[in-house]
Amino acid sequence: MSTTTTTAVTPESILLRRDDDGVTTLTLNRPQQFNSLSFEMLEALIAAVDEIARDESVRVIVLAGEGKAFCAGHDLKEMRGNHTLEFQQRLFRLCGKFMMKLTELPQPVIARVHSIATAAGCQLVSMCDLAVAADTARFAVSGINVGLFCATPGVGLSRNMGRKEAFEMLVTGEFIDAAEAQRRGLVNRVVPLEQLDAEVARLAASIVAKSPLAIRMGKQMFYKQLEMGLDGAYQLASETMACNAMCEDAAEGIDAFIAKRKPEFKGR
């Protein structure tokens, strides 16, 4: 039986949380500000993912946006209203901290992109483990249009697509559509808007059906090996597979495969 609960993460409800049978959806809820990543929003997101990281009942996280935009980046009015180096440093360090937490979470994170994702919003898509976009979605790192090079979004962008493709977006600020974003590796799947929720649900369900222990171990290894040399990466991967093979879930999965039955994973 499906059980769904929706709660406001913050008193002002700028971030909503919905739990539904192992899938937790966090929805940016500043539609009038195009879900911009204000200081308060970033703090709410960090608090939410820290809580989710400790919750073994959560198997997949979906990041979504309310209203006309997925996320339009940082709150430029807030940035101009706090025009000191100290505030800018605090803001971008906080944003970087949140982006890193997405990769450090034990659960896979899926971006549900229904519309525009610009600047830090495009960065947010790039730092999620997976992304499903509606064919109406568009992507840009448009800070350059107001004299601000999107340096931090460039970190995630350059780790998703080719260097020249990423740099072109950074220096032109031009939009790409969902199909082009998929071709460049920024998103995994593109579907018509009316099919977006169903496609996100299909992807999440596919992950929920797998061993939670194997997913946790695999995600941690995946990001570590990306920053290593080839030999070190293979050593880490080999050790991870050996340890994973000794786990109860792996034994159950192999036994189920041999017996031609569905495995019953326990996360051990």
Side-chain angles (χ1 to χ4, degrees):
M1 180 185 299
S2 176
T3 57
T4 304
T5 59
T6 302
T7 58
V9 175
T10 62
E12 299 81 10
S13 301
I14 62 170
L15 183 65
L16 302 176
R17 173 175 174 171
R18 187 178 79 246
D19 295 285
D20 187 5
D21 287 345
V23 180
T24 291
T25 301
L26 294 177
T27 302
L28 309 180
N29 191 37
R30 299 184 75 210
Q32 299 305 315
Q33 295 79 29
F34 300 101
N35 298 318
S36 57
L37 298 178
S38 63
F39 203 93
E40 183 184 18
M41 177 67 84
L42 288 167
E43 288 186 321
L45 283 164
I46 288 172
V49 298
D50 280 348
E51 181 179 349
I52 290 169
R54 299 187 294 268
D55 188 346
E56 293 186 359
S57 71
V58 178
R59 302 287 307 282
V60 177
I61 301 166
V62 175
L63 281 181
E66 183 65 35
K68 295 181 179 180
F70 170 72
C71 177
H74 288 289
D75 189 327
L76 298 181
K77 289 184 178 179
E78 181 183 64
M79 290 174 63
R80 288 296 293 143
N82 296 272
H83 195 58
T84 66
L85 179 60
E86 179 186 7
F87 179 82
Q88 308 302 321
Q89 288 174 331
R90 288 175 58 219
L91 175 66
F92 290 110
R93 286 170 184 161
L94 189 67
C95 184
K97 179 180 179 181
F98 169 62
M99 298 297 171
M100 286 301 300
K101 282 183 177 292
L102 293 176
T103 64
E104 294 165 355
L105 277 164
Q107 304 95 337
V109 183
I110 304 171
R112 174 199 179 276
V113 191
H114 70 290
S115 186
I116 64 166
T118 57
C122 192
Q123 177 186 7
L124 183 56
V125 176
S126 74
M127 294 302 292
C128 289
D129 305 303
L130 301 160
V132 181
D135 55 8
T136 52
R138 296 193 301 154
F139 305 82
V141 277
S142 47
I144 198 67
N145 295 334
V146 295
L148 183 63
F149 189 87
C150 282
T152 45
V155 174
L157 209 63
S158 63
R159 284 163 169 76
N160 279 243
M161 59 179 67
R163 291 183 183 182
K164 286 183 170 60
E165 292 174 322
F167 195 73
E168 180 181 350
M169 291 183 68
L170 290 163
V171 295
T172 65
E174 294 175 352
F175 277 93
I176 60 173
D177 62 20
E180 181 64 14
Q182 183 181 32
R183 188 193 70 78
R184 296 188 185 190
L186 183 60
V187 302
N188 298 85
R189 305 180 183 185
V190 176
V191 295
L193 179 59
E194 61 272 17
Q195 297 176 22
L196 181 60
D197 286 330
E199 191 65 25
V200 171
R202 272 192 289 272
L203 180 56
S206 177
I207 297 169
V208 170
K210 307 303 188 294
S211 162
L213 177 63
I215 294 289
R216 289 196 300 270
M217 294 177 71
K219 178 174 174 176
Q220 182 182 53
M221 182 282 304
F222 181 79
Y223 286 106
K224 282 187 177 181
Q225 65 86 23
L226 285 174
E227 306 302 323
M228 302 172 72
L230 189 61
D231 182 63
Y234 266 112
Q235 290 185 43
L236 175 64
S238 298
E239 183 64 17
T240 300
M241 285 208 73
C243 292
N244 192 172
M246 297 304 297
C247 294
E248 184 178 327
D249 271 3
E252 163 63 13
I254 294 170
D255 288 347
F257 177 80
I258 294 171
K260 296 182 180 180
R261 61 174 174 81
K262 186 176 179 180
E264 296 180 7
F265 296 122
K266 299 179 180 178
R268 296 196 295 269

